[in-house]
Amino acid sequence: MPTMRVAQIARPGGAFELVERGIPQPAAGWVRVKVQACGICHSDSLVKEGHWPGLQFPRVPGHEVVGIVDAVGAGVTQWRTGQRVGVGWRGGHCGMCDACRNGDFFGCTVALQITGISFDGGYAEYLVAPAIALALVPDDLSPVEAAPLMCAGITTYNALRNSGARAGDLVGVLGLGGLGHLGVQYAVKMGFRTVGIARGQDKAPLAAKLGAHHYIDSQAQDPAAELQKLGGAKVIIATVTNGDAMGAVQGGLGLNGTLMVIGAAQSLTVSPLLLLSGRRAIKGWYSGTAADSQDTLRFSVLTGVRSMNETYPLDQVGEAYDRMASGKARFRVVLTMGH
Ligand SMILES: [Zn+2]
Ligand SMILES: [Zn+2]
């Protein structure tokens, strides 16, 4: 039986183990992908640390997967071998529960599938995934370029395009890390008057390089007051994982403004008076569907938005993960499979 290498986590808090496994056959409705690259996302810590309820071990993480369709299961008509595809967070759904019947597939209560959590993900030479989870990857993007767009990219792009902001509106991007450096680029290319917000004056050149029209150093200045001087933000997307940093910008929302939360902070203190007096809102956003991923990839090609990446081969998965977890990576960490 032909084998492949995967990087698995065998128990909560355990280290990565590189092991040989048989290459899996795709079941009916599933597709096998020969993985070329897989981004390492902060959410992979849910697997590493065992924080996802009911997670079964051993598990291979990874939901920023790009590779080549290698085999298709029975009944799969929309994909063929040789196509280049991406697999993101959203793996599949039942189609029959009340959430699915309402079109809210991400809220499926019966068979919600998440790549690298419900089934083994992309820290591997091959994976099998439901056909519905696949997005077509344009030829213009290399595997390493496309991989981070399957989670960091789609999350920022989709949050922005569903935020209610219109061309010319003032949009803040809180945080200039893995998510934020993409968020600024997308916001600029979508035609928003874009404000990068981060800690330290040393990030100002980065914000400018990414195309931001303004930069606010939240250590030296009150970010809420600075946003109000610019007219008040229609939208702020909060990419950080620090609730206090999110709380500090809420006062920068203009009338009818929305704070879009995409960073998984532990808690957030909000001012009810601020919300009701200006009809302001706080809203969360998760990534999106495979079709949203495809839109993200196409928009990135169209407008030149690219993730900045550090790459590691699969056999250095431990170092690569630690680099992501250190928060010092500039800006996404991507595993390459060497085939
Ligand atoms: Zn992710
Ligand atoms: Zn369902």
Side-chain angles (χ1 to χ4, degrees):
M1 185 187 195
T3 61
M4 63 174 184
R5 289 183 312 153
V6 307
Q8 69 177 27
I9 294 292
R11 61 180 187 285
F16 283 100
E17 301 170 356
L18 272 172
V19 297
E20 295 268 334
R21 285 190 193 175
I23 295 175
Q25 292 300 323
W30 287 53
V31 173
R32 185 170 71 210
V33 177
K34 186 177 184 178
V35 180
Q36 296 173 308
C38 183
I40 295 182
C41 180
H42 193 268
S43 303
D44 296 339
S45 64
L46 296 168
V47 177
K48 177 88 164 54
E49 305 306 329
H51 289 159
W52 189 268
L55 186 75
Q56 308 219 326
F57 291 93
R59 183 58 79 218
V60 178
H63 57 268
E64 290 188 342
V65 191
V66 171
I68 304 289
V69 174
D70 183 61
V72 299
V76 174
T77 54
Q78 71 270 51
W79 301 106
R80 58 179 190 278
T81 57
Q83 286 181 307
R84 205 149 60 98
V85 295
V87 190
W89 177 261
R90 286 273 294 103
H93 54 268
C94 80
M96 288 173 279
C97 71
D98 284 350
C100 286
R101 290 164 68 218
N102 278 309
D104 291 330
F105 306 118
F106 67 90
C108 178
T109 54
V110 174
L112 184 68
Q113 302 260 6
I114 298 170
T115 309
I117 286 182
S118 317
F119 56 92
D120 285 330
Y123 291 22
E125 291 177 321
Y126 293 84
L127 94 162
V128 288
I132 198 171
L134 271 52
L136 193 64
V137 176
D139 291 339
D140 313 71
L141 295 170
S142 73
V144 169
E145 285 177 324
L149 303 182
M150 294 304 300
C151 182
I154 181 186
T155 301
T156 48
Y157 169 81
N158 220 19
L160 282 164
R161 73 170 177 168
N162 288 291
S163 70
R166 299 189 300 173
D169 283 346
L170 189 73
V171 170
V173 178
L174 176 63
L176 291 178
L179 290 172
H181 90 291
L182 286 163
V184 168
Q185 294 179 67
Y186 285 127
V188 170
K189 297 299 184 184
M190 287 179 190
F192 305 139
R193 206 173 134 221
T194 303
V195 188
I197 308 160
R199 287 184 300 170
Q201 200 52 40
D202 57 321
K203 306 258 175 52
L206 170 67
K209 183 183 165 195
L210 297 169
H213 304 103
H214 305 276
Y215 176 72
I216 297 172
D217 170 4
S218 63
Q219 270 176 334
Q221 300 164 293
D222 172 1
E226 294 303 313
L227 285 167
Q228 289 298 346
K229 280 186 206 163
L230 295 169
K234 177 70 182 177
V235 167
I236 303 169
I237 62 164
T239 72
V240 296
T241 52
N242 180 324
D244 290 340
M246 288 186 196
V249 298
Q250 61 186 312
L253 291 170
L255 297 179
N256 303 300
T258 303
L259 178 65
M260 295 282 280
V261 176
I262 59 174
Q266 288 288 328
S267 63
L268 167 62
T269 303
V270 303
S271 162
L273 186 62
L274 185 82
L275 296 186
L276 64 91
S277 63
R279 294 199 315 200
R280 298 177 181 91
I282 297 181
K283 183 177 169 66
W285 194 267
Y286 88 113
S287 65
T289 64
D292 291 321
S293 292
Q294 226 166 272
D295 290 349
T296 304
L297 296 166
R298 274 203 300 249
F299 185 83
S300 304
V301 169
L302 182 72
T303 59
V305 172
R306 293 292 184 277
S307 172
M308 298 178 195
N309 306 315
E310 297 179 2
T311 61
Y312 290 78
L314 179 62
D315 52 21
Q316 288 176 27
V317 61
E319 288 120 290
Y321 180 89
D322 290 346
R323 180 72 177 157
M324 178 284 297
S326 76
K328 292 185 181 133
R330 294 176 65 87
F331 286 86
R332 298 296 282 187
V333 178
V334 181
L335 293 170
T336 55
M337 305 310 153
H339 64 200

